[in-house]
């Protein structure tokens, strides 16, 4: 798939995998728009890309944990992008302690699932109008241990860092499958992926024995963000996966996700609860 004349929106484009994805796609000729919470970091990434890119990159500030911020950012993106060919939801966090947003959402759930859910839905019509298009949602192998606790999606009763993170990553896969079904005849494909075990700043919130083990694992086994970004770029641009939709990729290959992700009733329940939560 030629990236010339393609417009790509990338959430979380100021750090780690997201930044590398933006750089790689820009080198392929795409016009990239990144989002991030920090104006300074977003401006720096855009300036760095624009020193050599044929198409000028741009940014919009976005805090995925805030529906208000997501709606404002989506409007700015639509104003800047007359076409959106590819949307890559790359941003994510791991929060060591339970935190609530001003809207009383649990932070990990809001940032990793509700924010991307709302952003994607708000941009969806523009992506359909620009079809053929692709939506890529970066999940994690953690989805395999995830469980959607429909009785306590905000994790008020029991907060365990990795359990809450795994729930949000499972939700990513379920969201991708649900959206793929809804867009079946639109010319837009929707897929999720595990990019591999990657040395990024997402682990900075961990502490105690978990942080020690993860730090050792990162040093011994993790790939660089640049290498991991190639898995995302492949799913966003390769002609080999042009007709694939509703799939979960482990790096470059289609993989069977957890049983929870294949539960159609649970996927629909999650969709409706998420829709109500963000006011769609």
């Amino acid at each position: 798939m030629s990236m010339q004349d393609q417009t790509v929106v990338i959430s979380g484009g100021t750090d780690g995998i997201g930044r590398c994805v933006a750089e790689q796609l820009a080198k392929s000729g795409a016009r990239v728009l990144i989002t991030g919470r920090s104006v300074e970091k977003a401006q720096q990434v855009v300036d760095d890309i624009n020193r050599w890119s044929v198409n000028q990159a741009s940014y919009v500030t976005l805090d995925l944990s805030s529906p208000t911020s997501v709606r404002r950012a989506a409007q700015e993106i639509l104003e800047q992008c007359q076409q959106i060919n590819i949307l890559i939801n790359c941003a994510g966090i791991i929060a060591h302690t339970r935190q609530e947003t001003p809207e009383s959402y649990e932070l990990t759930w809001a940032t990793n699932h509700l924010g991307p859910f709302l952003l994607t839905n708000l941009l969806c019509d523009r992506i359909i109008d620009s079809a053929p298009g692709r939506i890529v949602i970066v999940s994690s192998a953690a989805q395999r241990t995830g469980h959607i606790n429909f009785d306590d999606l905000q994790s008020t009763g029991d907060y365990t860092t990795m359990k809450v993170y795994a729930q949000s990553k499972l939700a990513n896969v379920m969201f991708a499958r649900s959206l793929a079904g809804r867009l079946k005849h639109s010319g837009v494909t929707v897929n999720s992926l595990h990019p591999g075990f990657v040395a990024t700043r997402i682990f900075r919130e961990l502490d105690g024995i978990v942080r020690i083990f993860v730090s050792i694992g990162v040093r011994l086994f993790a790939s660089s963000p640049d290498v991991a970004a190639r898995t995302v770029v492949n799913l966003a641009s390769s002609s080999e996966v042009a007709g694939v939709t509703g799939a979960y990729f482990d790096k470059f290959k289609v993989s069977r996700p957890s049983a929870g992700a294949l539960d159609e009733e649970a996927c629909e329940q999650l969709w409706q609860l998420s829709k109500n939560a963000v006011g769609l």
Side-chain angles (χ1 to χ4, degrees), residues 44-123:
Q44 184 62 59
V45 173
V46 166
D47 287 346
D48 289 346
I49 291 175
N50 286 342
R51 289 191 182 96
W52 47 261
S53 177
V54 173
N55 296 311
Q56 293 295 287
S58 58
Y59 73 88
V60 167
T61 56
L62 168 62
D63 179 354
L64 278 169
S65 72
S66 165
T68 301
S69 177
V70 173
R71 290 181 181 279
R72 176 198 50 75
Q75 186 59 44
E76 291 184 21
I77 292 169
L78 292 172
E79 289 171 359
Q80 288 194 37
C81 303
Q82 295 309 303
Q83 68 179 41
I84 301 175
N85 307 101
I86 301 164
L87 170 63
I88 301 174
N89 286 301
C90 206
I93 64 164
I94 298 176
H96 171 59
T97 59
R98 187 181 187 280
Q99 303 170 54
E100 286 193 357
T101 69
E103 296 85 2
S104 299
Y105 296 119
E106 188 276 315
L107 184 62
T108 300
W109 185 247
T111 304
N112 292 359
H113 171 61
L114 292 180
F117 178 90
L118 178 57
L119 179 67
T120 303
N121 275 285
L122 292 175
L123 299 181

Side-chain angles (χ1 to χ4, degrees), residues 4-5 28 50 62 64 88 112 134 145-146 165 171 195 208 214 239 251 262 266:
Q4 299 294 332
D5 302 320
S28 298
N50 286 342
L62 168 62
L64 278 169
I88 301 174
N112 292 359
R134 302 186 191 187
T145 64
Y165 176 71
V214 170
S239 59
K251 299 179 184 177
L262 300 174

